[in-house]
Amino acid sequence: MRLPPQSGEWIDRSQPLNFRFEGRAYTGFEGDTVASALWASGVSMLGHSFKYHRPRGILSAANHDVNALMQAGGTPNVRADATPLEAGMALTAVNTFGTLERDAGRFLGGFARFLPVGFYYKAFHSKRLFPLWERMFRAMTGLGRVGFATPRLRTPKRYGFCDVLVVGGGPSGLNAALAAAEQGADVVLVDEHARLGGSTHGASDLVDQVTAHPRIRVFTDTFAAGYYADHWVPLVERDRITKMRARAVVVAAGAYEQPAVFRNNDLPGIMFATAAQRLIRRYAVRPAQRVVVLAANADAYRALEAFIDAGIEVAAVIDLRDDVPADQQSVLAALRIPLHTGHCIVEALPANDGKRVAAVRVAAVGAPAPATNITCDGVFMSVGWAPAAPLLYQAGTKMRYDDGVHQFVPDTLPDGVFACGRVNGIHTPAARLLDGERAGSAAAAHCGFGTMKAISVPAEMESPTHPWPIVSHPKGKNFIDFDEDLQLADLENAIQEGFDNIELMKRYSTVGMGPSQGKHSNMNALRVLARATGSTPGEVGTTTARPFFHPVPMSHLAGRGFTPERRTPMHALHTAAGAVWMPAGVWQRPEYYAIAGQSRSKCIEGEAMAVRSGVGLIDVGTLGKLEIRGPQAAEFLERVYISKYAGLKVGMTRYAVMCDESGVVIDDGVVARLADDHFYFTTTTSGAALIYRELSRWNTLWKLDCGIVNLTGAMAAMNLAGPKARAVLAGLTDVDLSFPYLAVREGTVAGVPARLMRVGFVGEWGVEIHVPAEHGAAVWDALMAAGQAHGIRPFGVEAQRLLRLEKGHLIIGQDTDGLTTPGEAALDWAVKMDKPFFVGQRSLQAIAGKPRRQQLVGFMLPAGHAGDAPKECHLVIDNGDIAGRVTSIAWSPSLSRHIGLAYVQSGMAAVGNTLTIRLSDGSLVTAEVVKTPFYDPDNLRQKETT
Amino acid sequence: MTCPVNGPRAISEFAYGGEIRPMPDPTTCSDDAWADYVFNRNGSPGVKREWWCHTPSNTWFVAERDTARDVIVRTYLYAGDS
Amino acid sequence: MSAIAFENVSRTPRAGVKGPGAAAWIAALDLPVPRAPNSWLPLPGGLIARLGLTEFLVEGSEAAKLAAPLSPGVYPVLRQDTALVLHGARLNELLLETCSVDFRALNLSTRPVVLTSMAGVGVTVIPGEGGGMPCCRIWCDSTYGEWFVETLTGVAGELEQPGHPCNQGVTA
């Protein structure tokens, strides 16, 4: 029920919010969580447990209450204890068959003895029945429904920077932030809650000082999702992620309160003492009427006053410890609350409807009988803590088990990482403040701000954590892991079966593998394993903690992805001409130009025929273009390419093939010599950036007297080709177009400075025209205009691939792969082994003596071939074995035959040989090995110079 | 990583170029020694001298990296040994 | 009033040069040479930026001087950039969403030049201040230019939306 206004409460009573849960209407306030609003309305059964469908309520109110997961319309995974209430919410419980009230699955508890730990490894192994079991499990398990109509959301992602990042806004974190800021550091403080203060719940001088400090930026409602190398911590806010890079990180993340383990410790009404305090202080909700406090530390006694003030009747304090310090005992005496030291709860008893605790059975520790019953509708457990250390683990901290406080604490922290407060094993309030100041000062000093203060933090006088808050019971149902419904006996059985190592026990039993990731279960499980194997918690060790600390929405991870796109300067012109675009690496290239009423293949064929019989123009601006100058420019090219360039005449070009150190072909292009010490050369589209980078590396090593400039984006390039190309170009350029085949000339085209190279890639008289990018569109337009009278057509990538195939020209990466050496690709003629050195030379020498595995050959299908033709990557079959593969194939309109290139075993490469190629459906097609070029075998058309 | 010319930058601005390994003299070494150079790499953890490139500025440099501790020891421009 | 103003200055004349002899050659042309790597100097009607150790970008009318005859160790760099000037109150937020360099930690009085990656594209950035608001000049390869401008404009547009977290009063 709702209490009168509490000082510093987080709810705004002037803003009531209506919502529905399981079809019933309720009211809460702005500032409530779903769980606090329901609890205030008297609803204490918030969900059913995973395996046994037992009623569950609030356990932690700290974002670990997985049993209170709900579905809000199309949104699954709503954590009731951490999700702010919104007007109009319509929530249902998950993991029920039917409704929460009439959950058909609640009978599963009765089958518990057939569902021991690891039961699914032992049952369901009948292959015949497994599909049935699988369907059953899919229907039974799973927590929520995915809404397939959910819109695709993405939220902004951004970077952030600071000197000191403090994770956790409780007392130690606040003091750490202040200390660091006072020394001059730029501080970011994050806390997952709506307000700072941690267990002080918000209002305090300390919080005021922090929020007012000019050098502290506060992120509330934000959690640190993980720690990544070099102090990179993603901060997950409600509506975005900030990728924070800090120079030092202070982890003040606190500790998770731990449950006591006794029979029926999962009944609604049984919760952590901190959960009760949160309900009271933040949401003005009375968690129960009459409670038993199960204590084992000073925190329990500090909280009693808050319980009394909230009108709760504390029926008794049951303290696991034999000796309770006098100052704690005196608190009870003053309040006249009965105290039972050295006692424990052996069992909680449910109310008649089974949905809430109604009483507890209390007995001496180790002596379950005689026991007394105490009626109550709530139990507040305050028996211990486990450090919230995932960030520390991820940063590489070495932890050790401290017998003084019975928890793991940092032993060796990495450079620049600091810990303070409860996560550091410091629990006394005054000491936490000092520890925070110490850590904040040290963090700031680490960044170069001031010097580390010498602060000695007093050791804890008593342990805030009980080493064994666990009570066995013959009837079980004493839960260690509430997410996974694991009882004490489940772990004992797993250990007995041989899974007696922390990693094995975790995976076999699934302890700690639920949505709260072991925050309330790992420590107790570890204690059980230690006791069962006769070792200590420190010897048993912990499993690691992986990001993320809490679930992160996919919209945050998606963010805005940057997938850059490169476009040539003529892009808009291509679109206007009907280009159908295709990605080529990061570039966009016209695949072909669409003509209304014509199919794709008709358009491509038309473009190719235009080049063969008239004139075509293609944008080849995506090619890599590099320029090298200097006295040793030629020497450099000699070393990186397999052919010779030292003797290349000024004004001439030469085909260029590049190999890597293993002799594998990695790139090809054309080298043009513009002067003795000046070359302009091209690479493949996809190779450009990598080749430029690698050539830069070679020259960093060799230090030859030359310089390389990457002009790929700075130059536009187009290829004008066809028997009428010369006529089209003649009127636009001052260059004498009778210059020889494979020569290069500098001049102007359409008034723009240009480099012209006569090339033979597509097998017609053709010129590659390179101009500065800013003039690309103008030159393209001028050529297209001049070409109108000759029926010029723009042609795209597909037409070009067909044209080059008719000439038998290979494409790196299509007709070569990661192992192809020059000889295999019929490029022996380009290899000049008599050079002093080139990259790949020594490897080619090593394999020269070895038999060649395969050979690239041209092939044709028979004239009039009917039926399907092979595709790229279809296999050449010989005697039922793989003997090669097709790398390129197309229907040649010029030859009216299917032509292609294929790798075949060396013995099958002879011209005239018959090949058998297998199609996808297993049928076989016959082909004949032929010489290339297929079209114009003597290359007369591209070479002509009249 | 700290580029010697551009300063500390996110690792996504860098490309790895392999460990700096001396090339055997191709004119005198055996095929086996050459194959070892081309194909084999040093996998054992420890401090390695490596080629790294700051890609936005195309700056090649040397990084000494402790691959056991995942720590970059220092970075500097290549001065011409190896 | 848009939160971030974009000015496309791609057509401003510019020229580049690099190499071991570049610094001396530029000095001989009577142009000031920025001494520190990755720094810039103002010129009448433009600027000269030193990119890394041995490359220079000259922008403005003075760029015409780089057409002078070359010397050994001097290699011309044809510049065909997409060049932008951005300024506005939300510029820092735009930079935080697209680039992992901490621009606010730079000391503008040293006139720094930053070669980095923004939205996945290699860029040269000169941060500055104008009229009390942050501003910066950005150069990138013009084949990335269209996509780059579209993307930055899209991000800038999102930053203007009232629902964007940077407009919620959340401290940055």
Side-chain angles (χ1 to χ4, degrees):
Chain A
M1 67 150 275
R2 193 75 72 175
L3 293 168
Q6 304 286 302
S7 152
E9 64 185 15
W10 293 17
I11 54 171
D12 180 356
R13 294 175 194 251
S14 72
Q15 300 207 57
L17 304 173
N18 295 323
F19 68 105
R20 302 186 81 83
F21 174 60
E22 287 284 300
R24 292 215 185 100
Y26 298 96
T27 306
F29 293 115
E30 176 75 33
D32 260 326
T33 61
V34 170
S36 66
L38 284 170
W39 208 268
S41 306
V43 178
S44 50
M45 184 171 75
L46 301 182
H48 275 180
S49 69
F50 182 53
K51 201 154 71 164
Y52 304 123
H53 289 243
R54 291 165 64 93
R56 296 277 167 90
I58 287 178
L59 173 66
S60 72
N63 206 350
H64 311 154
D65 293 349
V66 171
N67 298 132
L69 268 183
M70 297 180 182
Q71 179 97 15
T75 307
N77 298 334
V78 174
R79 292 187 166 205
D81 61 327
T83 304
L85 185 68
E86 285 167 25
M89 265 177 146
L91 302 143
T92 49
V94 302
N95 199 41
T96 62
F97 304 125
T99 63
L100 190 56
E101 284 293 315
R102 299 186 191 300
D103 174 16
R106 69 190 184 280
F107 297 113
L108 273 169
F111 290 106
R113 54 194 290 252
F114 299 109
L115 304 172
V117 64
F119 72 94
Y120 36 82
Y121 291 116
K122 298 165 181 147
F124 315 125
H125 45 70
S126 152
K127 265 206 243 181
R128 196 172 49 87
L129 287 177
F130 190 76
L132 168 67
W133 299 130
E134 197 201 352
R135 278 197 297 276
M136 188 180 89
F137 278 127
R138 280 182 186 279
M140 285 175 61
T141 58
L143 303 170
R145 308 187 97 70
V146 173
F148 290 104
T150 308
R152 183 165 169 254
L153 299 169
R154 53 171 182 75
T155 55
K157 257 193 230 175
R158 62 170 191 167
Y159 294 95
F161 306 93
C162 67
D163 294 319
V164 176
L165 173 67
V166 179
V167 178
S172 64
L174 290 168
N175 237 18
L178 273 177
E182 284 299 293
Q183 283 178 212
D186 172 42
V187 178
V188 165
L189 173 65
V190 306
D191 193 286
E192 63 176 305
H193 298 107
R195 304 196 190 183
L196 296 174
S199 48
T200 63
H201 301 291
S204 76
D205 279 340
L206 200 47
V207 168
D208 291 339
Q209 280 182 65
V210 164
T211 38
H213 203 292
R215 270 193 303 279
I216 302 179
R217 289 173 277 159
V218 174
F219 289 66
T220 49
D221 260 331
T222 303
F223 66 91
Y227 176 95
Y228 298 84
D230 296 323
H231 313 312
W232 196 91
V233 178
L235 304 178
V236 178
E237 307 166 54
R238 207 156 285 289
D239 294 317
R240 73 173 159 198
I241 280 188
T242 298
K243 301 175 283 187
M244 181 66 63
R245 172 86 67 189
R247 295 170 56 204
V249 177
V250 176
V251 178
Y256 324 119
E257 191 150 35
Q258 299 295 289
V261 179
F262 52 85
R263 177 165 161 77
N264 292 333
N265 62 340
D266 64 329
L267 284 169
I270 301 178
M271 64 182 71
F272 298 145
T274 47
Q277 290 173 80
R278 284 171 184 225
L279 285 171
I280 294 168
R281 291 285 309 273
R282 296 181 184 180
Y283 311 108
V285 175
R286 186 193 298 149
Q289 288 278 105
R290 180 179 150 95
V291 307
V292 166
V293 174
L294 179 62
N297 54 32
D299 295 293
Y301 295 86
R302 283 190 210 114
L304 285 173
E305 203 175 308
F307 301 151
I308 307 281
D309 284 348
I312 297 173
E313 185 191 346
V314 181
V317 172
I318 314 296
D319 200 310
L320 298 175
R321 302 171 290 179
D322 286 322
D323 300 306
V324 175
D327 58 323
Q328 291 166 31
Q329 292 206 43
S330 61
V331 172
L332 284 191
L335 297 167
R336 300 218 273 204
I337 297 172
L339 170 64
H340 307 257
T341 60
H343 274 60
C344 63
I345 296 177
V346 297
E347 181 177 0
L349 302 171
N352 284 340
D353 64 0
K355 293 174 184 168
R356 183 123 187 182
V357 61
V360 292
R361 287 176 72 71
V362 174
V365 173
T372 25
N373 283 9
I374 306 178
T375 56
C376 58
D377 69 335
V379 175
F380 299 161
M381 303 180 284
S382 181
V383 299
W385 305 88
L391 291 182
L392 292 174
Y393 281 104
Q394 288 152 24
T397 306
K398 228 170 115 317
M399 306 281 281
R400 68 172 174 85
Y401 188 77
D402 185 297
D403 286 302
V405 289
H406 289 298
Q407 75 173 73
F408 283 88
V409 296
D411 189 29
T412 319
L413 286 160
D415 248 1
V417 176
F418 305 86
C420 59
R422 291 202 196 256
V423 78
N424 197 27
I426 307 295
H427 293 262
T428 311
R432 285 154 73 188
L433 290 168
L434 281 175
D435 202 34
E437 193 184 344
R438 173 201 60 76
S441 170
H446 175 87
C447 299
F449 297 98
T451 46
M452 185 170 90
K453 289 190 200 165
I455 296 176
S456 77
V457 180
E460 297 293 299
M461 297 297 291
E462 55 167 35
S463 175
T465 297
H466 197 275
W468 187 259
I470 297 171
V471 179
S472 304
H473 196 286
K475 292 205 199 146
K477 297 302 184 294
N478 39 3
F479 290 95
I480 295 228
D481 189 319
F482 289 67
D483 293 10
E484 301 282 312
D485 259 355
L486 287 172
Q487 314 160 66
L488 174 60
D490 291 328
L491 294 185
E492 289 169 339
N493 288 340
I495 296 163
Q496 210 174 40
E497 289 189 55
F499 299 96
D500 55 2
N501 159 284
I502 189 72
E503 302 283 352
L504 294 175
M505 187 189 76
K506 168 187 168 175
R507 285 160 178 76
Y508 185 69
S509 68
T510 75
V511 67
M513 292 173 71
S516 70
Q517 291 287 286
K519 293 182 172 82
H520 68 258
S521 61
N522 279 346
M523 204 54 230
N524 280 336
L526 205 149
R527 300 191 197 283
V528 169
L529 179 57
R531 191 172 274 209
T533 55
S535 59
T536 64
E539 286 164 345
V540 166
T542 60
T543 55
T544 193
R546 301 195 193 283
F548 298 118
F549 183 68
H550 286 312
V552 179
M554 296 293 257
S555 58
H556 285 32
L557 298 174
R560 175 192 271 274
F562 294 124
T563 45
E565 214 176 78
R566 294 183 85 166
R567 301 171 195 164
T568 71
M570 293 85 97
H571 190 96
L573 302 179
H574 299 317
T575 302
V580 173
W581 291 101
M582 65 172 248
V586 292
W587 293 89
Q588 289 291 313
R589 302 195 66 185
E591 186 188 353
Y592 65 97
Y593 295 82
I595 293 178
Q598 286 196 19
S599 70
R600 174 182 176 275
S601 43
K602 202 103 190 75
C603 292
I604 293 167
E605 208 178 286
E607 289 171 18
M609 292 313 288
V611 174
R612 289 270 176 256
S613 59
V615 53
L617 182 62
I618 181 171
D619 183 343
V620 294
T622 63
L623 290 176
K625 306 168 211 76
L626 303 174
E627 192 164 75
I628 184 169
R629 292 182 201 248
Q632 290 189 295
E635 167 67 24
F636 185 85
L637 294 176
E638 291 274 298
R639 294 192 192 186
V640 300
Y641 283 112
I642 67 179
S643 307
K644 288 182 176 173
Y645 298 92
L648 181 63
K649 287 194 177 48
V650 173
M652 292 302 293
T653 74
R654 182 168 294 157
Y655 180 57
V657 174
M658 196 179 285
C659 288
D660 67 13
E661 286 185 306
S662 69
V664 165
V665 176
I666 57 171
D667 205 74
D668 72 352
V670 169
V671 170
R673 189 169 206 161
L674 300 173
D676 272 340
D677 61 350
H678 183 194
F679 295 80
Y680 180 68
F681 59 112
T682 60
T683 75
T684 59
T685 295
S686 49
L690 291 171
I691 299 293
Y692 174 60
R693 192 183 302 163
E694 184 63 1
L695 295 184
S696 307
R697 191 183 68 85
W698 281 126
N699 209 32
T700 305
L701 182 62
W702 298 332
K703 296 193 185 319
L704 295 177
D705 188 358
C706 60
I708 310 168
V709 176
N710 185 351
L711 296 176
T712 300
M715 299 287 279
M718 56 212 96
N719 186 3
L720 184 74
K724 303 200 180 136
R726 190 174 160 169
V728 169
L729 185 53
L732 291 175
T733 182
D734 56 352
V735 172
D736 177 357
L737 294 178
S738 61
F739 71 96
Y741 177 59
L742 297 182
V744 56
R745 295 288 181 267
E746 292 180 278
T748 65
V749 172
V752 162
R755 289 172 181 165
L756 283 67
M757 293 185 277
R758 277 194 63 185
V759 297
F761 193 51
V762 297
E764 299 299 331
W765 192 97
V767 173
E768 226 175 70
I769 302 163
H770 293 236
V771 297
E774 60 181 318
H775 301 302
V779 172
W780 177 279
D781 271 344
L783 289 168
M784 286 299 293
Q788 285 308 305
H790 302 274
I792 191 172
R793 283 196 52 182
F795 66 104
V797 173
E798 285 302 317
Q800 185 189 47
R801 290 162 67 88
L802 166 57
L803 292 165
R804 64 92 205 179
L805 181 59
E806 289 178 330
K807 298 299 298 182
H809 291 150
L810 56 75
I811 289 179
I812 302 294
Q814 168 150 339
D815 306 298
T816 69
D817 61 29
L819 294 177
T820 309
T821 50
E824 290 172 338
L827 292 171
D828 264 329
W829 59 269
V831 184
K832 302 300 174 207
M833 293 297 282
D834 58 338
K835 290 198 288 184
F837 169 83
F838 64 86
V839 176
Q841 181 188 41
R842 181 64 180 83
S843 297
L844 293 178
Q845 186 185 79
I847 67 172
K850 300 192 180 0
R852 190 168 289 168
R853 291 174 301 130
Q854 59 181 8
Q855 185 69 54
L856 188 69
V857 298
F859 69 86
M860 291 210 283
L861 298 192
H865 169 87
D868 292 333
K871 297 197 172 69
E872 286 92 354
C873 287
H874 276 152
L875 300 172
V876 175
I877 305 291
D878 181 45
N879 269 337
D881 275 331
I882 299 173
R885 74 175 189 282
V886 173
T887 60
S888 292
I889 185 166
W891 168 257
S892 163
S894 311
L895 303 162
S896 296
R897 300 280 290 271
H898 286 97
I899 59 171
L901 298 173
Y903 279 104
V904 299
Q905 285 170 355
S906 298
M908 298 166 59
V911 169
N913 196 28
T914 304
L915 301 177
T916 311
I917 303 171
R918 189 171 66 192
L919 308 189
S920 297
D921 64 0
S923 60
L924 299 173
V925 161
T926 318
E928 184 193 348
V929 178
V930 299
K931 263 167 61 112
T932 59
F934 304 90
Y935 168 85
D936 183 21
D938 295 323
N939 299 327
L940 298 175
R941 295 174 72 90
Q942 68 225 48
K943 285 181 177 172
E944 68 167 27
T945 310
T946 41
Chain B
M1 183 174 290
T2 300
C3 169
V5 176
N6 294 276
R9 293 293 176 82
I11 204 78
S12 54
E13 288 195 14
F14 297 90
Y16 171 65
E19 190 178 9
I20 297 180
R21 301 168 300 122
M23 183 178 82
D25 185 343
T27 60
T28 58
C29 71
S30 67
D31 282 356
D32 277 352
W34 183 255
D36 177 59
Y37 164 72
V38 170
F39 295 112
N40 293 334
R41 295 292 181 272
N42 171 20
S44 56
V47 179
K48 297 186 179 166
R49 281 182 79 225
E50 302 173 331
W51 286 113
W52 282 83
C53 183
H54 178 240
T55 52
S57 65
N58 198 46
T59 306
W60 277 103
F61 59 93
V62 179
E64 281 174 20
R65 200 164 65 93
D66 184 338
T67 61
R69 296 186 302 130
D70 192 22
V71 167
I72 296 162
V73 178
R74 61 184 187 124
T75 58
Y76 49 90
L77 291 173
Y78 180 76
D81 42 1
S82 165
Chain C
M1 192 65 192
S2 157
I4 299 175
F6 282 71
E7 203 189 333
N8 192 320
V9 295
S10 304
R11 304 210 70 88
T12 306
R14 61 181 67 85
V17 77
K18 74 181 200 181
W25 182 79
I26 287 194
L29 295 174
D30 239 355
L31 286 167
V33 177
R35 296 242 259 114
N38 293 320
S39 68
W40 63 279
L41 291 170
L43 294 176
L47 56 83
I48 176 166
R50 184 169 199 148
L51 311 176
L53 293 173
T54 55
E55 185 170 351
F56 297 87
L57 162 66
V58 178
E59 193 173 78
S61 46
E62 300 285 280
K65 289 189 173 165
L66 268 59
L70 302 170
S71 293
V74 180
Y75 314 114
V77 178
L78 175 65
R79 305 276 334 188
Q80 298 280 288
D81 307 75
T82 292
L84 305 169
V85 181
L86 272 58
H87 73 273
R90 287 266 172 263
L91 178 59
N92 285 324
E93 195 64 31
L94 176 84
L95 294 174
L96 285 177
E97 287 204 10
T98 56
C99 183
S100 66
V101 167
D102 186 4
F103 283 96
R104 290 204 278 190
L106 296 172
N107 179 356
L108 294 182
S109 67
T110 63
R111 282 192 291 264
V113 176
V114 180
L115 270 57
T116 181
S117 173
M118 195 178 283
V121 173
V123 294
T124 300
V125 182
I126 290 183
E129 241 160 26
M133 287 212 283
C135 76
C136 71
R137 312 180 77 88
I138 305 175
W139 293 262
C140 77
D141 182 312
S142 59
T143 58
Y144 283 102
E146 249 181 50
W147 180 90
F148 185 67
V149 173
E150 282 166 13
T151 303
L152 287 195
T153 318
V155 174
E158 281 177 10
L159 293 176
E160 286 182 57
Q161 302 304 317
H164 192 283
C166 75
N167 295 322
Q168 302 296 314
V170 175
T171 49

